[in-house]
Amino acid sequence: MKLVIKLVLIAILGMSSASILAAVSEKDAGIAIAAAEAERKKAASVDSEWRDTGKIIKKAQEAMNKGNYEKALKLANRAEHQGVYGYEQAMSQKDLKMPSYLIH
Amino acid sequence: MKKIISLLILMVIALSALSIAHADPEQDRKSIIKFFETRFVGIPLSEYVNGVYAYDTIGRESWEAIEEFPPYEIAIEKGQDMWEKPFANGKTYTDCFPDGPAIAQKYPHWDKKQAMVMTLPLAINQCREANGEKLLKYKKGSINNILAYIAFESRGKKTHVVIPKDAPGALAAYEDGKKFFFTRRGQLNFSCATCHIQNAGNRIRSDNLSPALGHTTHFPVYRSKWGAVGTLHRRFTGCNKQVRAKPFKAQGEQYRNLEYFLTYLSNGLELNGPGSRK
């Protein structure tokens, strides 16, 4: 009997902690969207924003508004990476050189 | 002794790399012409005004057939009406452009007073604004009519972009446009030069890529894909989007400086707008 109770308790604990681990809160999603927006702006400040970054952030916002925080987080992270890459892309070309095929 | 020689060699290499990074506009233009002359042996410079059809012989046939009944003709007619019809205040475009309508060869140019690159579409809207008229949009719509008329009247004039030495902002704008042209952008990491210099003549999907040389001589362009005549900056927008880069504002500083650089490359080439393309 004791064993059964113990097992049930463990099962309940296990389930609740699993759901705690998986659940993305509204706050998490909001933070991720803000981070993505900041990176998008940083890339734009050096004329290197990618085409879809703003659209992805908009989709993330929409997902958040519908309570789909997990999807919102995923989209926001993707947009954030695009912003980071766009900025780095511009920085890596700060000192323009004529490409080698134009040097005669 | 050996050390000195290798040091000297290093210095020479460093110096030549420097001069390439800060080449002057004439040097840029010549090295790009030389690139194309080497790639497309036997094609005369004057052919580059025809874009990809300078070397796409199959595409050229259908293009020539289309040009017999030019799809931009209506735009020219409508543009002439616009040019001649007085504004609400009784003035006309001729009051802003006394040498008009054959004025395309004067643009783009460095505007000393406004300290910026002045393009023809921008000058048209400044004229309208000064006369209390509504501003025209810069990519689609009726701006293309008046541009088509001016382009048609300017046929045979030569591209003649000047970068005045006494205005340091002008060279800076040119350098800025040049940097834009060679900078890789977007998720696909392509620059304008990747497609329109390095890969000119190669195919991308179903398109043969045109040379940057001659890019500006024939705008505005009727594009079958658009089903309408569109501006040069509309084309820039499409090319930026293709590589999944966010496009810039039509007639914003980035595209105006890009136009300054790109048009400079075509110096000496005849104006033959409006054009038609796939």
Side-chain angles (χ1 to χ4, degrees), chain B residues 8-30:
Chain B
L8 271 173
I9 289 174
L10 273 176
M11 270 173 69
V12 168
I13 289 173
L15 274 165
S16 64
L18 248 169
S19 74
I20 287 151
H22 298 278
D24 68 278
E26 238 352 64
Q27 228 171 302
D28 294 345
R29 196 176 70 84
K30 282 184 185 144

Side-chain angles (χ1 to χ4, degrees), chain B residues 52-120:
Chain B
V52 72
Y53 306 119
Y55 42 70
D56 175 5
T57 44
I58 298 165
R60 184 162 184 134
E61 270 179 46
S62 43
W63 171 67
E64 279 174 350
I66 288 170
E67 285 281 338
E68 280 180 35
F69 305 96
Y72 46 75
E73 216 151 50
I74 305 165
I76 297 173
E77 280 167 26
K78 285 187 180 164
Q80 182 167 9
D81 291 345
M82 275 172 91
W83 182 271
E84 285 164 3
K85 193 177 162 223
F87 299 132
N89 65 5
K91 294 196 172 176
T92 66
Y93 282 105
T94 318
D95 290 293
C96 301
F97 307 104
D99 306 331
I103 50 169
Q105 73 286 358
K106 299 184 174 193
Y107 297 89
H109 65 244
W110 181 253
D111 184 317
K112 281 188 185 167
K113 244 198 220 145
Q114 299 181 63
M116 63 190 271
V117 172
M118 181 55 59
T119 62
L120 182 53

Side-chain angles (χ1 to χ4, degrees), chain B residues 50 52-53 56 58-60 62-63 66-67 71 203-209 221-228 235 275-278:
Chain B
N50 297 321
V52 72
Y53 306 119
D56 175 5
I58 298 165
R60 184 162 184 134
S62 43
W63 171 67
I66 288 170
E67 285 281 338
R203 282 191 169 272
I204 186 160
R205 293 192 207 104
S206 66
D207 287 308
N208 196 333
L209 288 164
V221 160
Y222 179 94
R223 253 190 110 190
S224 318
K225 195 184 148 197
W226 294 335
R235 185 79 240 203
S276 67
R277 293 289 186 269
K278 259 205 313 185

Side-chain angles (χ1 to χ4, degrees), chain A residues 18-90:
Chain A
S19 72
I20 284 168
L21 278 177
V24 175
S25 70
E26 182 175 3
K27 196 176 154 202
D28 297 335
I31 289 171
I33 289 174
E37 183 56 18
E39 293 303 332
R40 183 196 66 76
K41 278 196 180 143
K42 200 170 157 194
S45 74
V46 291
D47 285 355
S48 199
E49 182 179 346
W50 290 3
R51 186 187 65 190
D52 301 331
T53 313
K55 288 178 211 161
I56 297 169
I57 292 174
K58 221 171 159 188
K59 275 193 193 152
Q61 191 69 52
E62 280 163 15
M64 187 165 108
N65 294 345
K66 282 189 194 144
N68 195 344
Y69 306 132
E70 221 162 304
K71 187 178 171 191
L73 183 81
K74 231 170 127 183
L75 287 167
N77 285 344
R78 198 199 307 165
E80 183 184 354
H81 287 141
Q82 288 201 353
V84 170
Y85 291 143
Y87 182 79
E88 280 175 3
Q89 187 179 35

Side-chain angles (χ1 to χ4, degrees), chain A residues 86-99:
Chain A
Y87 182 79
E88 280 175 3
Q89 187 179 35
M91 286 305 104
S92 71
Q93 301 175 84
K94 245 166 89 181
D95 306 305
L96 170 84
K97 295 267 180 345
M98 278 290 226

